[in-house]
């Protein structure tokens, strides 16, 4: 009952691989708590997914949630953070996320399919090319 669920996504666009991240945190009944999105600049698709996880976990931690399920459509990112793939352990973003995951709380990072992650995907796509903080949640209300 005291778990929150976050859906996150990293989005890429354009020929210069500009990336953005977005996500939503909901309570155990599925009610909207908070959303976020931000532009990352130029990075790989995997790094965008990892930054989306990072931002979500920091947000949840700062909001004092201590039981968090995170859903992401990038199976590789989920496997890296669940330590099923160890090759990227020295990567800065991976190390940052592992540091957050190792705090005194319960977290789960699960892979989900794109259809399940539509709200987070739309939040990430909306911010590409827009200044931070100008992404109205009303644009994703129909997806929620």
């Amino acid at each position: 009952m005291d778990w929150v669920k976050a859906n996150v996504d990293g989005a890429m666009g354009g020929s210069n691989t500009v990336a953005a991240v977005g996500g939503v945190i909901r309570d155990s009944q599925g009610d909207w708590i908070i959303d976020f999105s931000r532009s990352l600049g130029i990075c790989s698709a995997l790094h965008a997914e990892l930054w989306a996880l990072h931002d979500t976990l920091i947000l949840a931690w700062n909001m004092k949630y201590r039981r968090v399920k995170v859903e992401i459509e990038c199976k590789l990112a989920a496997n890296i953070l669940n330590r099923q793939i160890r090759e990227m352990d020295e990567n800065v973003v991976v190390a940052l996320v592992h540091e957050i995951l190792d705090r005194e709380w319960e977290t789960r990072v699960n892979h989900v399919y794109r259809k399940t992650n539509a709200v987070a995907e739309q939040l990430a796509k909306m911010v590409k090319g827009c200044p931070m903080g100008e992404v109205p949640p009303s644009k994703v209300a129909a997806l929620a």
Side-chain angles (χ1 to χ4, degrees):
M1 295 288 280
D2 56 344
W3 284 83
V4 295
K5 183 180 86 161
N7 288 86
V8 302
D9 193 36
M12 304 296 294
S15 59
N16 60 357
T17 63
V18 173
V21 296
V24 60
I25 298 176
R26 301 174 200 237
D27 66 19
S28 59
Q29 272 69 55
D31 293 327
W32 197 283
I33 296 172
I34 194 168
D35 64 88
F36 74 93
S37 55
R38 75 175 174 111
S39 177
L40 293 176
I42 298 173
C43 71
S44 70
L46 178 58
H47 279 95
E49 299 286 350
L50 293 168
W51 278 115
L53 283 160
H54 172 272
D55 289 2
T56 301
L57 293 168
I58 290 292
L59 182 61
W61 178 266
N62 289 341
M63 293 181 74
K64 309 267 189 263
Y65 294 111
R66 296 300 180 256
R67 300 180 92 191
V68 181
K69 295 178 186 179
V70 181
E71 296 182 343
I72 187 167
E73 62 189 75
C74 179
K75 190 172 188 174
L76 178 57
N79 288 342
I80 289 168
L81 296 176
N82 287 319
R83 293 183 166 102
Q84 295 169 343
I85 297 173
R86 303 300 294 222
E87 290 84 24
M88 289 192 63
D89 281 357
E90 299 302 315
N91 179 279
V92 172
V93 183
V94 173
L96 287 170
V97 176
H98 278 161
E99 179 183 303
I100 298 164
L101 289 170
D102 290 340
R103 293 178 181 177
E104 292 294 321
W105 62 340
E106 291 182 71
T107 57
R108 292 192 174 77
V109 177
N110 298 315
H111 167 258
V112 295
Y113 293 99
R114 178 172 289 184
K115 187 177 181 181
T116 307
N117 217 33
V119 171
E121 182 178 12
Q122 187 61 36
L123 284 164
K125 284 181 178 179
M126 287 174 15
V127 78
K128 287 188 308 188
C130 297
M132 287 176 35
E134 293 187 11
V135 182
S138 61
K139 290 192 177 189
V140 297
L143 297 172

